[in-house]
Amino acid sequence: MRVNARNIRRDARALLGTVRRLVCEHPVKRAEVMVAVAVLRREAARERLRSVPVTELKQVADGPFRSAPVHGAEFVTVADVLASTPEGLRLLRGIGPATAARLHGAAKRLAEAAGRAADRDIDLTRPELEPLLITLHWLVHVDLAHVEAAVERVPWLLRDARWWPVLPPYGRRRRAVAELADLVRRADVEPPEVTGEEARRDYEGRPDDYLAVLADVAGVAYGGEAAQGFLPGEAAARVAAQVLHETHLTVPLAGYQAFGARFAIARHRAILGDGMGLGRTLQAIAAMAHRRLDGVTHFLVACPTSVLPSWVRDVEACSSLSPHPLHGPGVVAAVKTWAATEGVGIVPLESLPGLRVPPDLYVGTFVLDEADRVKNPGTARARAVGEWVGRAGKTLFLTGLPMRERPECFRTLAGLLGAAARPEAAVLGSRAFRAAAAPVYLRREQRDVLKELPDIVRVDELVAFSRADRAAYRRAVGAGDFDGMRRAAYAVPKTSAKLRRLRRLVVEAAAEGLETVVLSGFPEVLGTVRDAVAVPTAAIAEPPAPGPAVAIICEPQPDRELEARAIGRLQGRDGPLLVHRLVAPGVDERAGGDPGRIIEDEQARWGVG
């Protein structure tokens, strides 16, 4: 028994030595991973920047600069600038110290963004990454907390189990030796030495463990799925884990829409930038409806006047929340009613600076639709938005325009949300930009969620009359001119609310590379559209352009079968067809009804005829 005790103490001391060695090696292994990843990022960044023109630095630089001297010195790409130094750039004619520092600093920031964007392309099975994979294997198999906990009592037990000529049959020393023997037997702290092939097989069997170590040690963020906007994996997992209460929703959500609503809930302040036809409004309503179950009673939406009727309809149709339009002659009374009850106040963006709400009214969520209209942070509109961002519990900006192509707008919106924004990754592509902007920005496009979309996505755009539209409609009603009533919304193109909405839809479609076909039963309306927007148009009875993705119907057709046939001729492409019907008050809402009866009813409503 005496020899056994001695051997057990010896093994315990060896175990203690192994643990101390592993504890010392752990930061060394982490440093090796960080160095390896830094090299990969640097090499990937330089390779990527060899294809980025030097003129793109204008989007990244902290101030203006002239690119002509740089071009003259044959600095063609950002990689050329990065390979130089500020001192070297100062040797160029026309480049002073400030400009040289600005240029090189912009190139370095872009290189950092390119390196981070390359994270998703790190393939640990590549032969040249075998040393990195072996190091990761070590870190995966050495759980430092477990290792230290496994021998925490060894020094104390060694003291109690020190050698004694005769080991008593009972007492503290015998118990100490027994516990030491048990610890040595159960301890599994030494990671096995492996070859590159063995490490690769282990990685293929448990990739998430290796990627988690990469994320923890070097901040490597692998992109999530397209339907999750390519959020980094860890961020996507946090959003997916967010609870979403649908008690106050009255319509089902698609999977990507539920993820978008969770994103809005999980982020205190965020931008939802989904492409057209994907249901940004519904996701915002879902986020508000979730908070209603938490006891929040008041919400505020600011949107362009032309889409205010659509917001009122959608809040009412998609949730149990009550919409309160806050505009027009009775706005003061409407605000009082909203404040005294509960629901969603909906105010025209143009009227937001003048909105007067009781100072003690708590607004749980503030939603800004078409947020890209707030471009200049110095305007009264931007200041009003900033005040509501600070006042509301949560804020959600909505925009269908890709922020990658509008870095200055993104800076403004992120600034209003209190988020740091250096959109350097914008010049590196949509996916890289979305991953870089993930803390505040989520965007999915049609191609990202094709499996969840129906063949035809129909949206009735309720468009409120402008003052000139209303006057033209009233004249047509008084004259009993049915066709004139249908065309009235385009009578004054400069102030036409329908044309304004149509232009917005065309811009959003073009931003996603989608073709647009504009349909109307009136050649004169098509002429007005052709003058207002630079898109091909086709009369509803004419052959459509090939391969459209978006159809905009200028006015609902009395013959719904004719409208259905026109839409049917536009199908047959890969992916869904988005159909937007522009619906104004009055005759548009009663398309398909008896013209004579519609005229009589409208004349009575307007008091004319």
Side-chain angles (χ1 to χ4, degrees), residues 8-69:
I8 290 171
R9 288 196 300 271
R10 181 197 63 205
D11 292 343
R13 290 192 185 95
L15 176 62
L16 189 59
T18 297
V19 168
R20 287 170 174 165
R21 174 174 57 79
L22 294 179
V23 170
C24 292
E25 286 184 12
H26 201 269
V28 176
K29 297 293 185 183
R30 289 175 63 93
E32 289 176 3
V33 171
M34 294 175 68
V35 169
V37 170
V39 170
L40 288 173
R41 283 172 169 165
R42 186 164 57 248
E43 292 174 350
R46 290 185 182 279
E47 183 62 32
R48 176 68 181 86
L49 296 181
R50 288 190 182 99
S51 61
V52 179
V54 71
T55 52
E56 295 288 352
L57 287 176
K58 289 184 177 181
Q59 295 190 35
V60 184
D62 290 327
F65 68 86
R66 294 187 305 113
S67 58

Side-chain angles (χ1 to χ4, degrees), residues 7 46 56 74 153 268 382 468 499 575 604:
N7 290 342
R46 290 185 182 279
E56 295 288 352
E74 298 184 355
R153 284 178 50 78
H268 182 58
L499 271 181

Side-chain angles (χ1 to χ4, degrees), residues 3 64-65 111 116 135 147 152 256 329 349 365 367 401 442 495 554:
V3 175
F65 68 86
R116 290 191 297 271
T135 304
V147 165
E152 184 179 4
Y256 73 88
L349 178 57
T365 301
V367 177
L401 300 183
L442 174 67
T495 58
C554 291

Side-chain angles (χ1 to χ4, degrees), residues 153-401:
R153 284 178 50 78
V154 167
W156 305 98
L157 293 172
L158 282 172
R159 183 192 64 185
D160 289 348
R162 60 186 178 274
W163 183 85
W164 195 256
V166 177
L167 191 65
Y170 53 84
R172 188 172 65 184
R173 292 185 180 87
R174 177 174 286 278
R175 288 195 300 271
V177 170
E179 189 173 345
L180 275 177
D182 185 57
L183 280 174
V184 171
R185 184 174 65 253
R186 290 188 297 106
D188 181 21
V189 297
E190 180 77 70
E193 291 189 7
V194 295
T195 64
E197 178 62 21
E198 290 170 332
R200 184 185 63 78
R201 286 199 298 267
D202 188 63
Y203 162 67
E204 291 174 347
R206 50 191 302 186
D208 289 346
D209 293 338
Y210 282 76
L211 300 183
V213 171
L214 266 181
D216 175 57
V217 175
V220 173
Y222 280 78
E225 299 176 359
Q228 297 176 344
F230 299 110
L231 293 185
E234 186 178 348
R238 285 198 301 269
V239 171
Q242 168 67 49
V243 174
L244 173 62
H245 300 303
E246 299 186 41
T247 303
H248 289 283
L249 274 183
T250 56
V251 296
L253 298 175
Y256 73 88
Q257 291 173 334
F259 185 87
R262 288 186 171 93
F263 177 84
I265 296 165
R267 297 290 195 272
H268 182 58
R269 296 168 179 170
I271 303 171
L272 179 61
D274 282 351
M276 65 187 312
L278 301 192
R280 292 186 302 273
T281 299
L282 175 56
Q283 293 173 69
I285 292 172
M288 290 187 284
H290 166 91
R291 299 209 68 202
R292 181 63 189 89
L293 198 64
D294 290 339
V296 178
T297 56
H298 290 80
F299 309 91
L300 180 65
V301 173
C303 63
T305 304
S306 59
V307 299
L308 191 145
S310 288
W311 267 100
V312 172
R313 174 202 60 191
D314 291 344
V315 168
E316 197 165 40
C318 300
S319 73
S320 61
L321 304 177
S322 301
H324 295 267
L326 308 178
H327 76 115
V331 64
V332 175
V335 169
K336 288 181 178 178
T337 301
W338 171 55
T341 55
E342 64 176 56
V344 183
I346 307 172
V347 61
L349 178 57
E350 300 83 354
S351 304
L352 187 63
L355 181 66
R356 297 293 176 263
V357 173
D360 59 343
L361 179 66
Y362 175 70
V363 173
T365 301
F366 170 57
V367 177
L368 175 63
D369 194 13
E370 296 192 16
D372 50 89
R373 294 179 181 271
V374 183
K375 301 174 183 177
N376 186 345
T379 62
R381 179 184 298 180
R383 288 193 295 271
V385 168
E387 290 172 5
W388 276 106
V389 170
R391 175 173 175 173
K394 287 182 179 289
T395 297
L396 180 63
F397 288 173
L398 306 179
T399 175
L401 300 183

